[in-house]
Amino acid sequence: MKKLSQTVVSAIVIGGLLAGCSAQDGSGNTAASSSSSAPAVKKEDKIKLTFWRNSGNDTENAAYDKLVASFMEKYPNISVEMTPIPYSDYDTKLRVSIASGSPPDIMALDAPTVGSYANAGALKPLTAYFKADGHMEDIPKSTLATYTYQNEIYMAPLTESSIAMFYNKKMFQAKGIPLPSRNPDEPWTWDQVLDAAKKINDPAGGVFGIDPAQGFGNAGGTAYFKYPIIWQLGGEIMSPDGTTAKGYLDSPLTKKAIQFFSDLYNKDKVSALEYPPDPFPNGKLGITIDGSWSLANLKEKFPNFKLGEDYDIAPLPKGTAQAVANGSWALGISAKSQYPDEAWKFVNWVTGHEGQTTYAGMTKDIPSRYSAAKDFPELSQYPKNIFVIQNQKYGRPRPITPIFPQMADAVNKMFEDVTIGKRNIDASVAEAVAAIDKAYADVKAQQKK
């Protein structure tokens, strides 16, 4: 199946193919479209659950295999048929299965998609399950908020990802720049970062001060790096209920953040629109904002570029506040599942303390639960403690809205227009607000048909 863009795929769901799915009432609660309730299950009955997920690397696949096997050993009357699907096809196939009325009982979803799937009535609310035996107190409130839509939790988190400031230690020392603190609660300000970037910057020599947000590629991916800059400087992107960008994306503080970002490229010229391959480990970039996943990549591909000797890591910079985007892949239950209670047992097993410890122990990902993170001493030590504590204390959900792909596209285009096209900020922001609000209005209009 050819890969469709996120925007097109989202339109498939919203455009009426989910007529057989459940619909939401005015309070945000989900009411099943079928009048029949889930069948009564006897203790001796053999139940089969279907579980779809995006296929990962060999280690991730092995971790899921182990979790499925251990669950079926614990619950011998429940079998789980797991189907890994290539990432490029996953979202499309999942949405088509939902639209055709034959979704899997359990599905893995990326955090930003919760608004789309929940708004379409494709997911069963999990709030009551969490309150019963999901140990909500073991999950940061900001993490749970990432999977909450209209006051209902719809997904159970398994792992977290995070970003931080990577800097070339030898460049700092050569320029006499004091090294940033390793304390996650003591970040540099963006003014300090800019000052250091200016001292390191040497475009004539092919060296740039900072890559602030991993370029302008995939809208959803690079926007993940740009949202925190807006929040750190006091701005917002959308309303808390995810219905409008007006009054938020066009606020003075948000515009100030966009201007600061653009100035890195156009006024201060410490950032470049194009870098040579692997500029940071190759000594062509002094500072980069990058993810926890890059630690293993740098160690494997650039063994002579050593953490603690050649580079170090510090918490994300702040303006008026600290902030980092949270949310990763999580598990949800289909609103059409005939066995939601049994599906919850599996979801709770995989994403509970023991499941997260098993999974993270194999994949080296960051668990979303406090208790699971404490099981790994390295997560409380530098450098991984920076990623963990930032998420736990300063994590923020990306806008939770059924039009997330359209919103991400509009925000990324806005940054491109202002930074690359050097377009007027007011005009670019107004266009982005109009595009986002129109996308939301279109969703509501489709639902009324």
Side-chain angles (χ1 to χ4, degrees):
M1 182 178 292
K2 290 184 69 175
K3 181 180 178 182
L4 301 180
S5 71
Q6 268 193 304
T7 304
V8 173
V9 171
S10 181
I12 290 174
V13 169
I14 296 163
L17 290 180
L18 288 179
C21 285
S22 57
Q24 290 186 327
D25 63 29
S27 67
N29 295 320
T30 302
S33 60
S34 172
S35 60
S36 61
S37 58
V41 178
K42 298 177 181 179
K43 189 175 182 180
E44 64 274 13
D45 287 347
K46 187 74 173 180
I47 295 167
K48 177 182 175 181
L49 299 174
T50 51
F51 170 38
W52 285 16
R53 64 176 181 84
N54 61 308
S55 57
N57 57 42
D58 291 343
T59 303
E60 292 166 342
N61 293 335
Y64 265 116
D65 286 341
K66 185 173 183 179
L67 287 169
V68 170
S70 63
F71 174 79
M72 291 193 295
E73 183 177 351
K74 183 177 177 65
Y75 297 97
N77 67 312
I78 305 175
S79 66
V80 178
E81 182 183 88
M82 180 170 62
T83 304
I85 298 171
Y87 176 79
S88 59
D89 296 331
Y90 181 71
D91 200 50
T92 301
K93 286 188 174 182
L94 181 58
R95 290 178 184 270
V96 169
S97 77
I98 293 169
S100 65
S102 56
D105 294 288
I106 303 154
M107 58 194 80
L109 299 169
D110 198 7
T113 65
V114 63
S116 175
Y117 282 93
N119 183 71
L123 295 172
K124 182 175 181 61
L126 304 181
T127 310
Y129 288 117
F130 264 106
K131 289 181 177 179
D133 61 356
H135 300 287
M136 297 169 64
E137 74 287 348
D138 194 29
I139 305 172
K141 290 182 179 180
S142 61
T143 299
L144 279 179
T146 296
Y147 305 101
T148 300
Y149 180 70
Q150 295 187 349
N151 300 315
E152 289 279 4
I153 303 170
Y154 281 95
M155 295 195 284
L158 177 58
T159 61
E160 270 289 8
S161 62
S162 187
I163 57 178
M165 186 175 85
F166 290 55
Y167 64 95
N168 188 304
K169 187 174 182 180
K170 289 184 176 179
M171 285 186 183
F172 271 56
Q173 293 170 331
K175 296 293 184 179
I177 304 171
L179 301 182
S181 171
R182 292 179 171 184
N183 186 336
D185 297 315
E186 297 177 356
W188 266 14
T189 65
W190 271 109
D191 288 340
Q192 289 175 294
V193 173
L194 178 58
D195 182 64
K198 287 179 177 178
K199 291 176 179 177
I200 291 168
N201 203 48
D202 180 18
V207 176
F208 288 89
I210 182 172
D211 180 358
Q214 297 293 309
F216 298 88
N218 173 271
T222 58
Y224 173 78
F225 288 81
K226 296 180 179 74
Y227 300 141
I229 297 174
I230 291 176
W231 298 329
Q232 289 155 2
L233 296 175
E236 295 290 346
I237 302 156
M238 290 190 73
S239 58
D241 61 4
T243 62
T244 182
K246 190 170 182 59
Y248 298 89
L249 192 63
D250 55 359
S251 72
L253 288 176
T254 301
K255 290 181 180 180
K256 179 181 177 182
I258 298 166
Q259 183 68 63
F260 175 82
F261 182 88
S262 177
D263 284 349
L264 294 175
Y265 294 83
N266 298 314
K267 176 186 173 184
D268 303 307
K269 300 185 185 301
V270 293
S271 301
L273 296 177
E274 293 185 11
Y275 298 97
D278 301 306
F280 184 63
N282 286 326
K284 299 299 183 181
L285 186 62
I287 303 168
T288 185
I289 305 301
D290 211 340
S292 53
W293 54 87
S294 290
L295 290 170
N297 181 64
L298 289 171
K299 186 175 181 180
E300 177 186 352
K301 295 184 178 179
F302 301 93
N304 294 324
F305 188 65
K306 299 184 182 297
L307 178 67
E309 295 181 19
D310 301 290
Y311 77 98
D312 265 322
I313 298 172
L316 282 182
K318 71 173 183 178
T320 57
Q322 284 186 256
V324 61
N326 62 13
S328 186
W329 286 83
L331 300 187
I333 298 174
S334 169
K336 282 188 169 293
S337 175
Q338 288 188 302
Y339 306 108
D341 293 348
E342 289 71 25
W344 169 252
K345 286 182 179 179
F346 176 75
V347 168
N348 203 25
W349 174 261
V350 172
T351 66
H353 172 265
E354 186 174 343
Q356 289 196 11
T357 301
T358 298
Y359 187 87
M362 296 176 68
T363 65
K364 308 306 177 186
D365 287 327
I366 298 172
S368 60
R369 289 184 177 270
Y370 292 116
S371 62
K374 289 178 181 177
D375 284 346
F376 301 96
E378 66 268 23
L379 295 183
S380 62
Q381 300 167 1
Y382 174 85
K384 290 189 176 181
N385 67 315
I386 292 175
F387 300 101
V388 174
I389 293 174
Q390 277 189 152
N391 265 105
Q392 292 178 348
K393 296 178 70 173
Y394 308 109
R396 288 193 52 170
R398 286 161 278 181
I400 302 167
T401 175
I403 56 158
F404 185 88
Q406 297 96 316
M407 181 277 301
D409 284 342
V411 169
N412 211 48
K413 182 178 184 299
M414 174 190 70
F415 273 102
E416 287 181 353
D417 287 349
V418 173
T419 305
I420 302 174
K422 300 180 182 179
R423 189 182 177 197
N424 175 271
I425 285 183
D426 290 339
S428 297
V429 170
E431 184 177 284
V433 169
I436 292 168
D437 284 7
K438 180 181 184 303
Y440 189 82
D442 289 345
V443 168
K444 303 313 289 184
Q446 288 284 355
Q447 288 180 326
K448 292 178 180 179
K449 289 183 179 180

